């Protein structure tokens, strides 16, 4: 029996892989969220060191996933990469800078003869947690709200704004900017919530545990407000669809139609939101320490649903509001059939990589991190 795989099948397959990597990345951004809570939860030098080292065990997972996500996007949908990264480069440069200073901070915070002091690198970690989450969320929101760019017949792209991406977050005369920022702030507060759940599950310190439960409520309310604002808006706004000839057009309630016409997307969205809420509320009400797993899986399912909404069912995943026919779809922005086919063989290794991550995670978390354990460590962040 011969299985025939079409070009469109490969495009759908690679959009799924991109969606999965993006979903895992958002979950792992609890590291960024935790970095913004170091001084809120850690009132002494020992407590702050404990928090930094709890996050330090996982920061490389986030960094590696970010690089893999970017690389996979470049290889499978290069026209998006050249259009967005080449046009909205100020946003991407700021994000890149934020992640560079994160890596530097973990490596040099406790180095001998650190002339800048620990606090300087802790500020860098806060900056990474703040900018990394908000700007990435804002950038992803433009998959729904569109960006100002043009692509000619030779696939040469031009950004139709001199602000080079900053207008996506600061052009307050355009209503869609508020939708962009609402997702950015949703990711920021979600990352903090996941970090708090992570601390409950992995840190052995009574004071930090008590403060973490208190800050869960403080961050849950703004997260709920911003995420509901974003979700309601994308269900109600017009979307960018394309026909069998590749012509892009505005379709009223496009994303609502996608939820109805692709039931798996709706199922993922409902299960994801329920999982996130259950993980948070069970940690507040039942005082469980396992909430990170419910909210973590819920986060992955929710982000998967959002990526499915913009990529499948003949939807332009990177629409342009300045030149609608320049909008990018999984069909006109992908690599060649040969490239996608060759990379698909490599993608078979992904389950093994995920298995290694799970094994490494479990190995590092067999025992909760504590101040006494840190005293025995040969390497402390």
């Amino acid at each position: 029996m011969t299985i025939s795989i079409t070009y469109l099948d490969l495009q759908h397959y690679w959009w799924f892989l991109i969606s999965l990597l993006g979903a895992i990345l958002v979950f792992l951004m609890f590291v960024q969220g935790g970095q913004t809570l170091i001084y809120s939860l850690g009132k002494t030098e020992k407590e702050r060191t404990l928090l930094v080292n709890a996050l330090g065990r996982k920061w490389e997972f986030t960094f590696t996933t970010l690089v893999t996500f970017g690389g996979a996007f470049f290889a499978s949908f290069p026209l998006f990469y050249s259009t967005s990264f080449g046009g909205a480069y100020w946003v991407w440069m700021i994000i890149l800078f934020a992640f560079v200073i994160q890596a530097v901070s973990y490596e040099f915070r406790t180095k001998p003869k650190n002339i800048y002091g620990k606090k300087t690198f802790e500020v860098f970690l806060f900056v990474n947690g703040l900018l990394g989450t908000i700007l990435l969320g804002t950038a992803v929101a433009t998959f729904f709200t569109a960006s100002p760019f043009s692509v000619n017949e030779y696939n040469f792209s031009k950004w139709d704004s001199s602000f080079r991406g900053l207008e996506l977050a600061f052009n307050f005369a355009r209503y869609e900017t508020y939708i962009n920022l609402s997702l950015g702030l949703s990711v920021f507060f979600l990352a903090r919530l996941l970090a708090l759940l992570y601390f409950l599950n992995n840190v052995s310190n009574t004071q930090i545990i008590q403060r973490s439960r208190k800050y869960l409520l403080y961050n849950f309310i703004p997260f709920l407000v911003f995420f509901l604002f974003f979700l309601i808006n994308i269900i109600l706004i017009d979307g960018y669809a394309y026909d069998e000839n590749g012509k892009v057009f505005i379709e009223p309630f496009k994303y609502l139609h996608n939820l109805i016409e692709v039931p798996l997307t709706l199922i993922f969205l409902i299960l994801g939101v329920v999982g996130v809420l259950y993980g948070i509320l069970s940690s507040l009400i039942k005082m469980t320490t396992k909430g990170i797993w419910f909210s973590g899986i819920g986060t992955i399912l929710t982000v998967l649903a959002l990526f499915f909404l913009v990529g499948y069912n003949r939807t332009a995943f990177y629409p342009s509001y300045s030149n609608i026919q320049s909008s990018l779809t999984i069909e006109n922005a992908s690599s060649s059939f040969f490239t996608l086919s060759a990379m698909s063989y490599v993608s078979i290794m992904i389950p093994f990589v995920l298995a290694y991550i799970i094994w490494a995670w479990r190995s590092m978390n067999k025992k909760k991190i504590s101040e006494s354990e840190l005293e025995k460590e040969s390497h402390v962040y």
Side-chain angles (χ1 to χ4, degrees):
M1 179 178 176
T2 303
I3 299 176
S4 178
I5 299 178
T6 67
Y7 191 18
L8 185 60
D9 291 334
L10 288 172
Q11 291 164 333
H12 278 78
Y13 173 67
W14 273 97
W15 185 255
F16 167 74
L17 292 184
I18 293 298
S19 303
L20 181 60
L21 286 169
I24 295 173
L25 174 61
V26 174
F27 162 60
L28 291 174
M29 289 189 80
F30 73 81
V31 174
Q32 276 63 37
Q35 289 168 185
T36 66
L37 291 163
I38 292 172
Y39 277 83
S40 298
L41 302 180
K43 301 303 180 182
T44 66
E45 179 62 33
K46 286 186 176 181
E47 288 177 349
R48 287 191 287 272
T49 297
L50 186 63
L51 292 169
V52 170
N53 279 269
L55 298 171
R57 292 178 168 185
K58 304 296 188 296
W59 80 270
E60 290 176 326
F61 287 156
T62 311
F63 198 90
T64 303
T65 305
L66 175 66
V67 173
T68 306
F69 173 72
F73 223 143
F74 169 72
S76 54
F77 299 97
L79 190 53
F80 162 76
Y81 206 85
S82 62
T83 301
S84 183
F85 285 71
Y89 61 75
W90 278 123
V91 170
W92 294 113
M93 287 299 290
I94 293 171
I95 293 173
L96 178 60
F97 171 77
F99 277 90
V100 168
I101 63 173
Q102 179 203 33
V104 170
S105 298
Y106 277 112
E107 291 304 319
F108 287 94
R109 179 179 176 270
T110 58
K111 286 287 186 182
K113 300 180 181 180
N114 171 12
I115 61 174
Y116 300 105
K118 292 181 180 180
K119 189 170 183 179
T120 299
F121 292 108
E122 289 163 0
V123 170
F124 287 169
L125 291 176
F126 180 88
V127 171
N128 169 254
L130 180 70
L131 295 181
T133 52
I134 294 178
L135 290 182
L136 273 176
T138 300
V140 171
T142 62
F143 288 6
F144 295 91
T145 61
S147 302
F149 63 88
S150 302
V151 180
N152 67 17
E153 58 185 312
Y154 304 107
N155 284 340
F156 289 143
S157 60
K158 179 175 71 73
W159 199 257
D160 298 326
S161 170
S162 58
F163 293 101
R164 295 294 182 176
L166 294 179
E167 74 282 347
L168 303 175
F170 298 107
N171 182 12
F172 297 110
R174 187 170 182 260
Y175 180 75
E176 285 81 356
T177 301
Y178 298 94
I179 301 177
N180 296 342
L181 288 173
S182 67
L183 183 59
L185 290 168
S186 296
V187 174
F188 170 70
F189 284 107
L190 175 62
R192 286 165 66 93
L193 288 167
L194 291 172
L196 292 166
L197 295 174
Y198 171 74
F199 291 144
L200 289 175
N201 185 251
N202 290 278
V203 174
S204 178
N205 182 289
T206 304
Q207 288 73 30
I208 290 177
I209 295 300
Q210 291 174 348
R211 294 176 196 135
S212 294
R213 294 195 190 280
K214 182 176 69 173
Y215 275 87
L216 265 178
L217 183 61
Y218 294 166
N219 288 273
F220 176 62
I221 295 174
F223 162 73
L224 200 58
V225 170
F226 287 120
F227 183 71
L228 285 176
F229 178 85
F230 171 77
L231 193 60
I232 292 171
N233 271 280
I234 64 170
I235 289 175
L236 298 179
I237 64 174
D238 299 338
Y240 295 76
Y242 64 96
D243 59 24
E244 62 276 4
N245 298 315
K247 184 178 180 180
V248 182
F249 60 93
I250 298 293
E251 180 181 325
F253 304 107
K254 172 59 176 170
Y255 303 112
L256 176 60
H257 294 163
N258 284 359
L259 285 173
I260 297 171
E261 294 168 9
V262 187
L264 183 63
T265 302
L266 179 60
I267 292 171
F268 276 13
L269 182 61
I270 293 173
L271 290 177
V273 171
V274 170
V276 171
L277 295 179
Y278 180 79
I280 295 168
L281 294 177
S282 63
S283 299
L284 284 171
I285 300 171
K286 296 184 178 181
M287 299 298 179
T288 181
T289 61
K290 305 295 183 182
I292 180 64
W293 302 117
F294 293 102
S295 290
I297 294 172
T299 296
I300 292 173
L301 290 175
T302 302
V303 177
L304 270 176
L306 294 180
F307 271 89
F308 288 179
L309 272 179
V310 295
Y312 293 146
N313 201 32
R314 286 188 174 171
T315 309
F317 76 85
Y318 199 56
S320 169
Y321 64 79
S322 61
N323 187 337
I324 188 172
Q325 296 309 319
S326 293
S327 300
L328 305 184
T329 70
I330 63 171
E331 293 187 51
N332 67 19
S334 74
S335 294
S336 67
F337 178 84
F338 175 79
T339 301
L340 294 182
S341 299
M343 294 194 305
S344 295
Y345 290 105
V346 179
S347 71
I348 297 174
M349 296 298 297
I350 289 178
F352 297 99
V353 175
L354 290 176
Y356 170 75
I357 291 174
I358 294 171
W359 174 81
W361 183 297
R362 289 175 61 88
S363 298
M364 288 187 286
N365 284 86
K366 286 182 178 180
K367 186 178 180 181
K368 290 187 177 184
I369 190 169
S370 63
E371 292 179 8
S372 59
E373 184 182 348
L374 282 183
E375 293 175 358
K376 304 173 184 177
E377 290 283 343
S378 58
H379 176 68
V380 177
Y381 290 106

